[in-house]
Amino acid sequence: MNINLNEFVKNLYQYANINDLEIERGREMFMQHVKITKAKATYKFYESHLRLLCDYLKENNIEFFSKITTEIINSYVLRCQKLKITNCTINKRIGALKAVIAYLNKEEIINQDFKYYKLKEIKPEIEIISMNNLKLVLEDGNRNGTRQNYLLLLLLISTGIRRTELTMIDKEYINLESNQIYLEHTKTNSPRYIYFDSTTKKLIESEMKNNNSKWLFYNPETNDHITTSQIDNFISRIKKRLNLDKLSPHKFRHTYATMLLENGATLEEVRLLMGHSSYEMTKRYLHINNKKLAKTSLAMNPLTSLLHG
């Protein structure tokens, strides 16, 4: 007999006329929902942030949702700040708790309101890889990496693909006629296409012929897809060999988005190609593009022409 855990708990609490729930049970129900409906990366995000905040609540004998107050969250924020944890991270943890409560309210398991102001965040400046360093990285990857590693590098540079998406490229979804790859597994759980050039196409064709796995990037020992750790290690080795201060898979993504904007792509085009769920994510790159606009304005405005023309 199959029993839906959420329905069972919902009916139990409604029957008992109790409008409260243990935090740990609510967290488990929410995580079950996330596991079924969201990407693995999203699951890991909620798992880590909720565990840390829920552990604090438990340490302070806060075991039911009705006991969560502004005062207890304030004390948690102060503790985090003493530990030099950034406001951005604190907001993520509190946001995760809000998501649990919102889900339980929606499912009518509880009926409780929880509001907490968002802490002011200092957004870290988005860093990109210079064209010169990109060239060095590409040369090093071609010289020292395997065919699979070099292909991986090409896709990181030319598509802005995320690490997790890269590991889950299914060969069945590669279209060599239209030079595109359908990404079924994405961070936002919304599939999208990425596109590759003729040079990358040749490497993809070669890899597909010599690869018996269903995955484009695979581990020969297990025939399963590679892991994000393997990608990180590959990029770290390049970083070390070239003695670069900053190099990571995500910086390729930042560089891709910035180059799109600098070369005239619209905000909507960048959003779709990057797989962002909202414009807010894409707008982070506008301040970088504005640097170029500032130089253009200073060089080409009417006053410059009058004084120096």
Side-chain angles (χ1 to χ4, degrees):
M1 179 178 176
N2 293 326
I3 299 176
N4 185 293
L5 177 62
N6 289 9
E7 284 297 322
F8 174 76
V9 175
K10 174 182 174 181
N11 293 334
L12 177 64
Y13 277 82
Q14 286 181 340
Y15 178 77
N17 197 29
I18 297 173
N19 195 24
D20 202 358
L21 183 67
E22 291 177 343
I23 294 171
E24 184 58 26
R25 178 54 65 95
R27 185 182 70 85
E28 289 174 358
M29 295 171 67
F30 175 76
M31 291 308 301
Q32 183 187 55
H33 165 72
V34 171
K35 190 172 186 178
I36 294 171
T37 61
K38 305 295 182 181
K40 286 183 179 179
T42 303
Y43 181 87
K44 289 181 179 179
F45 170 87
Y46 281 118
E47 184 180 45
S48 61
H49 287 301
L50 283 173
R51 177 175 50 80
L52 293 165
L53 179 48
C54 288
D55 283 350
Y56 177 82
L57 295 175
K58 190 174 181 179
E59 288 170 11
N60 288 271
N61 300 314
I62 308 296
E63 297 182 355
F64 289 83
F65 283 100
S66 62
K67 300 299 181 182
I68 299 175
T69 62
T70 300
E71 287 72 25
I72 190 64
I73 299 300
N74 280 341
S75 69
Y76 178 71
V77 169
L78 289 172
R79 181 191 184 190
C80 288
Q81 290 176 338
K82 285 181 180 178
L83 294 172
K84 306 299 182 183
I85 297 172
T86 66
N87 283 355
C88 180
T89 298
I90 298 172
N91 283 335
K92 287 177 180 178
R93 294 178 186 176
I94 297 173
L97 179 62
K98 287 181 179 179
V100 175
I101 295 173
Y103 168 73
L104 295 173
N105 276 322
K106 183 180 179 182
E107 293 296 313
E108 298 181 354
I109 296 169
I110 64 173
N111 182 22
Q112 294 172 24
D113 190 28
F114 173 69
K115 294 180 180 178
Y116 196 82
Y117 62 92
K118 191 172 183 179
L119 302 175
K120 186 175 181 180
E121 298 179 9
I122 300 175
K123 298 286 185 181
E125 185 174 346
I126 292 175
E127 297 174 319
I128 64 173
I129 307 167
S130 69
M131 290 301 293
N132 183 58
N133 283 344
L134 273 181
K135 184 178 179 182
L136 292 174
V137 166
L138 204 54
E139 290 173 349
D140 181 272
N142 189 27
R143 184 170 56 248
N144 298 304
T146 63
R147 179 185 65 241
Q148 186 176 150
N149 283 343
Y150 186 57
L151 173 58
L152 183 151
L153 202 53
L154 290 179
L155 288 175
L156 279 173
I157 294 173
S158 65
T159 68
I161 191 171
R162 299 181 179 94
R163 292 177 310 156
T164 50
E165 296 167 346
L166 197 60
T167 65
M168 301 290 284
I169 293 178
D170 191 326
K171 290 194 299 185
E172 183 181 349
Y173 295 139
I174 298 174
N175 190 324
L176 293 172
E177 292 185 5
S178 57
N179 287 25
Q180 63 185 24
I181 301 173
Y182 177 74
L183 299 180
E184 182 183 24
H185 305 280
T186 67
K187 180 181 178 181
T188 59
N189 232 25
S190 298
R192 74 177 191 281
Y193 287 96
I194 58 172
Y195 306 90
F196 51 85
D197 63 2
S198 57
T199 300
T200 307
K201 178 178 180 177
K202 291 178 182 178
L203 280 174
I204 290 176
E205 286 178 315
S206 177
E207 187 62 35
M208 291 177 72
K209 288 177 183 177
N210 295 280
N211 176 348
N212 294 322
S213 173
K214 71 171 290 188
W215 308 106
L216 180 62
F217 298 106
Y218 75 110
N219 185 334
E221 295 179 2
T222 63
N223 217 35
D224 198 4
H225 62 76
I226 62 172
T227 65
T228 54
S229 294
Q230 287 175 287
I231 296 175
D232 289 338
N233 291 337
F234 168 58
I235 299 300
S236 292
R237 289 194 297 271
I238 294 177
K239 178 182 176 181
K240 187 175 181 180
R241 282 194 298 266
L242 296 177
N243 194 29
L244 297 177
D245 291 335
K246 296 174 182 178
L247 186 71
S248 69
H250 214 68
K251 284 186 174 54
F252 289 111
R253 184 169 164 81
H254 291 327
T255 305
Y256 172 76
T258 302
M259 290 295 292
L260 288 177
L261 285 168
E262 288 188 350
N263 285 298
T266 66
L267 204 62
E268 173 66 0
E269 287 171 334
V270 176
R271 186 186 73 81
L272 292 173
L273 289 168
M274 293 287 285
H276 288 156
S277 56
S278 69
Y279 280 111
E280 292 306 311
M281 294 293 290
T282 313
K283 285 177 181 178
R284 296 178 305 162
Y285 297 98
L286 286 177
H287 78 280
I288 297 176
N289 194 43
N290 285 344
K291 292 179 181 178
K292 182 181 178 183
L293 291 176
K295 290 180 181 179
T296 301
S297 175
L298 291 172
M300 301 180 180
N301 71 71
L303 184 60
T304 299
S305 298
L306 288 170
L307 296 178
H308 308 288

